[in-house]
Amino acid sequence: NAGVTQTPKFQVLKTGQSMTLQCAQDMNHEYMSWYRQDPGMGLRLIHYSVGAGITDQGEVPNGYNVSRSTTEDFPLRLLSAAPSQTSVYFCASSYHNSNYGYTFGSGTRLTVV
Amino acid sequence: GQQLNQSPQSMFIQEGEDVSMNCTSSSIFNTWLWYKQDPGEGPVLLIALYKAGELTSNGRLTAQFGITRKDSFLNISASIPSDVGIYFCGRTGANNLFFGTGTRLTVIP
């Protein structure tokens, strides 16, 4: 049972490049979310999904796209990377919201130069 | 926004000491969650609280859901070096989980 798997673990991009951060979970969780973590800012919600085919914006969605074509996968796309998107990105999933808590992946450290 | 205020921002303590940190908000919540993040890893759920006044323990960790439903605290007794990390409070709502800014704990052997 792998839990939440994020790839890659590290990535360096040039400004303007695009890329996709991958997230997969094998727990049949309905809810999936993407967070970014910056020093002193805690974890901020980027986008989330409550089930396949359903996505919505979080606190800081600008510059990111998501899709949820399957229950297992929730990729995060950076359309045109900017230095302000240098951060550590975490994917998380939950069977239900609220009472069950969320399981997190180990993160992707992204640097945009 | 969904601001949760955590204090202190950081703590340096001697091994064996007890630790207390808290989280406050101007809004009422129905669930409080406490997470710990080890260096280089994602957050891991420590304790979940579901009703006002609830006191829950997990080993050396104890957390309480404040009576006003606007705050929560986490205590760690007899700290050990592996307690090092960032502790986050979180609350759920609107189909999601929102975090405080974290308390960074350093334990000095």
Side-chain angles (χ1 to χ4, degrees):
Chain A
N1 207 356
V4 179
T5 302
Q6 289 185 239
T7 57
K9 291 191 179 300
F10 301 94
Q11 182 71 50
V12 178
L13 289 178
K14 294 182 178 179
T15 298
Q17 285 185 318
S18 63
M19 80 158 293
T20 299
L21 308 185
Q22 302 291 343
C23 176
Q25 53 90 10
D26 60 359
M27 299 172 283
N28 201 31
H29 283 174
E30 297 173 20
Y31 289 73
M32 296 187 75
S33 303
W34 276 102
Y35 293 84
R36 61 177 288 173
Q37 184 174 27
D38 303 296
M41 302 290 288
L43 293 108
R44 292 182 293 169
L45 182 65
I46 305 172
H47 284 284
Y48 65 98
S49 168
V50 300
I54 306 169
T55 63
D56 210 339
Q57 296 181 348
E59 303 171 81
V60 288
N62 293 340
Y64 308 95
N65 274 1
V66 292
S67 60
R68 185 94 180 272
S69 56
T70 67
T71 299
E72 294 77 20
D73 300 298
F74 191 42
L76 178 72
R77 297 183 188 85
L78 280 70
L79 307 174
S80 177
S84 61
Q85 293 178 304
T86 294
S87 188
V88 182
Y89 291 85
F90 288 99
C91 178
S93 73
S94 174
Y95 179 62
H96 274 304
N97 193 22
S98 297
N99 293 346
Y100 292 87
Y102 277 69
T103 300
F104 282 78
S106 57
T108 294
R109 184 174 294 275
L110 175 69
T111 302
V112 183
V113 297
Chain B
Q2 316 290 345
Q3 190 166 2
L4 299 176
N5 300 309
Q6 273 190 258
S7 64
Q9 285 189 328
S10 62
M11 304 179 72
F12 292 81
I13 62 169
Q14 293 285 340
E15 183 177 357
E17 289 184 348
D18 297 342
V19 174
S20 184
M21 60 190 77
N22 66 11
C23 192
T24 61
S25 174
S26 58
S27 303
I28 293 174
F29 298 131
N30 294 321
T31 304
W32 283 96
L33 304 173
W34 283 94
Y35 280 80
K36 183 197 177 193
Q37 184 180 27
D38 289 327
E41 298 293 330
V44 174
L45 182 65
L46 297 174
I47 293 177
L49 302 163
Y50 303 125
K51 56 184 179 181
E54 179 180 355
L55 186 71
T56 298
S57 294
N58 178 5
R60 293 178 295 106
L61 277 61
T62 302
Q64 186 161 25
F65 194 144
I67 292 291
T68 64
R69 294 166 62 195
K70 294 183 179 180
D71 61 356
S72 177
F73 72 76
L74 175 70
N75 286 344
I76 305 173
S77 62
S79 59
I80 60 178
S82 62
D83 290 334
V84 164
I86 305 176
Y87 292 80
F88 292 100
C89 64
R91 66 90 174 162
T92 57
N95 293 322
N96 244 301
L97 170 61
F98 296 94
F99 288 95
T101 51
T103 294
R104 183 180 295 273
L105 179 64
T106 302
V107 180
I108 303 167

